[in-house]
Amino acid sequence: MSQKIFLDGKFVPREEAKVSVFDHGLLYGDGVFEGIRVYDGVIFKLEEHLARLYASAKTIMLDIPQTRDEMREIVRQSCIENGLRDAYIRLVVTRGPGDLGLDPRKCDGATVIVIADRISLYPPELYERGMSIGTGSIRRSRAEIINPQVKSLNYLNNILAKLEANQHGWGEVLMLSEEGFVAECSADNIFMVREGVLVTPAAHLGILLGITRRTVMDLARQAGFEVVETTFTRHELWNADEAFLTGSAAEIVPVTKVDERVVGQGKPGPLTQELMRLFRAYAPTNGVRL
Ligand code: PXG
């Protein structure tokens, strides 16, 4: 059975899921997206992902033709049509086809795409041994340039950073804020553990407010740990007791090396492992059921 993709109001076979070469999502990266996980028939934190999608769209003044209720049903239907109970969903809304100028008023209306696919995960060894990351030369931009809180289709900075990760053989690439503070990675948020306290960069540093980040903060607080959102430098990260990354695709990935400095004991730390356990138990219970 061919994969079914939701495109502009209906499900079409994968081979027919094509967009116009005049779509401003393609011509200008003018659009927004979400990446969502499905765990054993539960669409993880779907409401939070929909809220972020509609907030991103509002900021760029992009009208999504579907209501949030309709979108929830389309996402559910995408999993059902494709017989998927464990999946990765990509929701994309572009400005739609226009002319070759960049004026959004020339566009006919949004293109809405929902792809439900199998998940490709990081290898299990990575979760047992930890990941080595390094700092790239590309900075996260401040809100007046490309607002990192808008999950837009303009990911060129992140891709440039990822190229540096590939060149150096890092699993992910650390991106600093314009001022040089630790911000996040190309597609993951970052945490460190210092004297039993969980520390993560604050929103104003120019980060995507990750849904996994929020979940991990909530789980840690419920388990009795202190969680702090603040500003810190790489010096503090290099000298942390533990570090890890969070993201919908990655979940929680221990980080054991940053810029050739071994972090903590050089293996996944106890709080990281505890949070990984808590997250794995929590994920299939929190979201919208198929
Ligand atoms: N920061 C950035 C810049 C991101 O793009 C996250 C953090 C984590 O957010 P969530 O809400 O997922 O906890 C992201 C995640 C992928 C993939 O397939 C993920 C993202 C973007 C592109 C691809 O891993 N965004």
Side-chain angles (χ1 to χ4, degrees), residues 52 88 90 140 151 155 184 186-187 189 210-212 248-249:
R52 188 169 67 182
Y88 181 79
R90 177 59 56 91
R140 283 309 258 156
K151 202 162 163 63
Y155 256 56
E184 62 174 337
S186 71
N189 292 113
I211 286 159
T212 321
S248 295

Side-chain angles (χ1 to χ4, degrees), residues 177-217:
S177 68
E178 282 198 9
E179 305 82 5
F181 296 110
V182 172
E184 62 174 337
C185 289
S186 71
D188 298 291
N189 292 113
I190 189 159
F191 284 83
M192 66 173 180
V193 178
R194 204 172 47 188
E195 291 169 6
V197 178
L198 200 53
V199 185
T200 195
H204 71 86
L205 289 161
I207 60 169
L208 181 80
L209 291 175
I211 286 159
T212 321
R213 173 184 181 273
R214 177 82 257 159
T215 305
V216 165
M217 288 167 64

Side-chain angles (χ1 to χ4, degrees), residues 2-19 23 32-38 43 46 49-50 53-54 64-84 87-94 110-118 153 290:
S2 163
Q3 189 179 10
K4 295 283 191 300
I5 314 285
F6 181 87
L7 174 63
D8 284 341
K10 58 181 191 297
F11 284 93
V12 296
R14 179 191 176 111
E15 302 71 38
E16 290 167 31
K18 293 179 178 157
V19 296
D23 195 302
V32 294
F33 78 105
E34 282 295 324
I36 312 170
R37 286 285 292 275
V38 185
I43 310 172
L46 178 57
H49 281 284
L50 290 176
L53 181 80
Y54 281 79
I64 301 179
Q66 288 82 5
T67 64
R68 221 190 273 200
D69 287 344
E70 287 167 346
M71 199 63 102
R72 185 183 311 112
E73 270 318 296
I74 293 165
V75 172
R76 284 184 70 238
Q77 219 42 55
S78 299
C79 296
I80 294 164
E81 287 271 341
N82 290 289
L84 292 168
Y88 181 79
I89 297 167
R90 177 59 56 91
L91 240 163
V92 185
V93 185
T94 78
T111 300
V112 178
I113 301 162
V114 183
I115 307 168
D117 212 338
R118 277 169 225 293
L153 294 179
L290 290 185

